[in-house]
Amino acid sequence: QVQLVESGGGLVQAGDSLTLSCAYSGRTFSSGAMGWFRQAPGKEREFVAAINWSGHSTYYSDAAKGRFTCSRDNAKNTMYLTMNNLKVEDTAIYYCVAHPTGHTFGDIVQAPRNNLNWGQGTQVTVSS
């Protein structure tokens, strides 16, 4: 059974940086694609970033591109989301996801969301 536990959320000011972590347990971490989604108050959950099994390929939403970096350390079974130049509109609950069988970031982007494994989420609040 896959378990994903996010950490690192908090209250920051606009322009600050924050790094989220996602600790993974279950099947072999290094073989699966992973990613991040977020859900702001009153809005639908949206894709943020995805990373392939090796960490060498990533894909970002337009909102995240240029400011966020998704990475992973397969030796530590952990994925990260480093967020720079945070904006008030980045305020959301951030969720870590893992694809049950896929290896590429495309598997995360294209999968029906119910097919992904989800963490419980971590709150990020950006104040002006």
Side-chain angles (χ1 to χ4, degrees), residues 25-98:
S25 62
R27 72 180 175 106
T28 304
F29 176 78
S30 60
S31 66
M34 299 187 68
W36 294 92
F37 282 75
R38 69 185 183 184
Q39 187 166 20
K43 296 188 177 181
E44 293 187 356
R45 198 170 294 189
E46 64 175 3
F47 168 78
V48 175
I51 190 166
N52 77 330
W53 67 275
S54 68
H56 292 157
S57 295
T58 53
Y59 183 77
Y60 300 94
S61 67
D62 287 342
K65 203 173 299 181
R67 298 187 299 125
F68 293 4
T69 301
C70 183
S71 61
R72 63 193 294 168
D73 185 338
N74 287 347
K76 295 183 178 179
N77 285 5
T78 303
M79 178 181 64
Y80 305 96
L81 184 68
T82 299
M83 304 182 290
N84 296 320
N85 190 23
L86 282 161
K87 303 176 181 180
V88 172
E89 51 264 41
D90 294 320
T91 295
I93 299 173
Y94 283 72
Y95 297 91
C96 167
V97 298

